[in-house]
Amino acid sequence: MKSSLICAALLALCAAPLSAGELVVELNGPGLAESAGYLVAEARGFYAAEGLEVRLHPPGNAIPLEALARGKADLAVEFLPVALLARENGLPLVNIGQPFALPALRLTCLPEAGVQTAADLRGKTLGSDYRGQELALSGWVNKLGLRADDSLEGVSILRQWPDDAAGMLRQKQAACISTTSYDAPVEPGGTVELDPGDQGAGVLEDGIYALQDKLPDPAMRDRFARFLRASMQGWHEAVRDPEASARLILGPDPDPEALKRQTRAIKGIAPLLSAQGALDDAAYRRSVAILREGGDAAVLRADPQNAFTHEISDLARKAGQRTGARIDPTPGPRTAP
């Protein structure tokens, strides 16, 4: 992953300019529920109401930040650890908004594999989808004082099966698999769910990122602010009626099981959402501290500098106050960086 992101940073130097008439946004995956707010905002006309022409690129197998670096997108949705690591490796990314205010990463584990609590992870094999979860998982492991070094005193982190992660548990290929609080591919009962927050190891996830050189332009800042405001309206609309939102993003005559799963996932995302998409300073600092844990095994080598801005979320909030638009109650005061 590191080499891909470094290459992407170099490609940014010769990126072709995008059309000035639209805002191109690269979404993150792997599922549709993670993008429900943006899809609902598009379908309900919230972007159009802000005077924006938005083209959403659906989540796929590509790293969202590569599209940003290649000049194929204006904004990208990505996990905070992935973005900070990319910035450390030379890609000048800036977080302009944080729709997901709380982390969703969990480990779903087999009690018969000897895992009841996080203290039991020593010597175990853990699955990860390697779409950014592995970085947050590594931070959690480091916070526990373990190493992901495949030793009996550490842990092993393997790429989990993309279409059947639960099969790794059934076939005893892993003691735990990476899941989320809103979409675990294992029916409740017979497993144990571990939450990194219990050890103070939760790391922020889906944020919205732009390249640093886009931000000095007042017109672009205004477009980003309108996009953030409409997107948060889409997210809060999506979770108000999860089944209707699931039907909207799945299309006509959805498979009943797919509808059920997407409805459950969108409902589960509701507690994670930010009120207005502003990055919380304290949550950001905690996330960085976790990613800096572990000495030479740390995810990040140094504290990031100038990796986020509140200017876009402040613009979005102030414009909403002027027009009378309301998404949710205004969050409490931010702490200082």
Side-chain angles (χ1 to χ4, degrees):
M1 176 179 286
K2 287 187 180 181
S3 61
S4 294
L5 292 169
I6 293 170
C7 290
L10 296 175
L11 286 166
L13 299 177
C14 56
L18 289 160
S19 165
E22 65 180 358
L23 201 62
V24 180
V25 182
E26 193 76 19
L27 301 178
N28 199 8
L32 284 173
E34 291 91 334
S35 300
Y38 309 105
L39 299 172
V40 168
E42 180 183 48
R44 301 295 190 210
F46 298 157
Y47 295 132
E50 290 283 354
L52 294 174
E53 181 184 350
V54 174
R55 176 153 52 98
L56 301 175
H57 284 178
N61 294 322
I63 299 171
L65 297 182
E66 286 192 4
L68 195 65
R70 290 174 182 270
K72 302 299 183 184
D74 297 292
L75 296 170
V77 179
E78 186 53 277
F79 274 21
L80 181 137
V82 176
L84 292 183
L85 182 59
R87 185 177 175 87
E88 185 167 87
N89 282 299
L91 186 60
L93 293 168
V94 178
N95 179 300
I96 66 159
Q98 190 68 34
F100 281 31
L102 297 173
L105 175 65
R106 302 290 187 268
L107 281 176
T108 296
C109 307
L110 286 174
E112 56 262 41
V115 181
Q116 291 285 351
T117 70
D120 300 322
L121 294 178
R122 187 182 303 274
K124 300 300 190 296
T125 296
L126 315 178
S128 172
D129 67 1
Y130 275 80
R131 296 178 63 96
Q133 277 185 339
E134 78 282 1
L135 300 178
L137 182 56
S138 294
W140 185 5
V141 166
N142 291 337
K143 179 79 171 178
L144 293 170
L146 304 175
R147 288 290 186 98
D149 58 4
D150 303 329
S151 72
L152 293 176
E153 293 302 310
V155 300
S156 299
I157 300 179
L158 300 180
R159 185 183 298 276
Q160 63 193 35
W161 301 343
D163 299 320
D164 187 18
M168 291 187 74
L169 295 182
R170 292 193 300 269
Q171 298 190 29
K172 308 298 190 292
Q173 299 297 306
C176 307
I177 56 171
S178 295
T179 56
T180 66
S181 61
Y182 55 84
D183 189 19
V186 182
E187 290 298 323
T191 58
V192 171
E193 184 180 90
L194 304 182
D195 180 351
D198 293 340
Q199 289 79 47
V203 173
L204 288 174
E205 296 172 1
D206 288 32
I208 303 174
Y209 292 86
L211 291 178
Q212 193 167 299
D213 63 4
K214 298 278 189 179
L215 295 173
D217 181 357
M220 187 61 78
R221 291 198 303 272
D222 176 67
R223 293 171 73 200
F224 287 169
R226 284 183 281 140
F227 173 79
L228 178 61
R229 186 166 58 246
S231 296
M232 293 313 302
Q233 187 180 359
W235 271 116
H236 289 285
E237 176 71 17
V239 300
R240 268 194 283 271
D241 191 341
E243 183 174 345
S245 301
R247 289 184 182 278
L248 185 66
I249 65 177
L250 287 171
D253 300 320
D255 174 78
E257 283 304 311
L259 177 62
K260 180 180 177 181
R261 180 169 179 172
Q262 293 296 330
T263 299
R264 183 176 66 243
I266 294 170
K267 182 178 180 181
I269 285 171
L272 308 177
L273 291 179
S274 163
Q276 294 180 323
L279 176 70
D280 179 78
D281 292 345
Y284 171 83
R285 289 199 305 272
R286 284 194 300 270
S287 297
V288 169
I290 293 158
L291 297 172
R292 295 276 288 118
E293 292 260 3
D296 59 3
V299 175
L300 297 178
R301 297 185 297 270
D303 289 337
Q305 301 298 316
N306 304 313
F308 68 90
T309 178
H310 289 307
E311 186 172 11
I312 304 304
S313 55
D314 285 346
L315 280 172
R317 176 175 52 82
K318 290 173 183 176
Q321 290 173 345
R322 286 197 304 269
T323 62
R326 190 178 179 90
I327 297 169
D328 219 296
T330 301
R334 291 192 302 262
T335 54

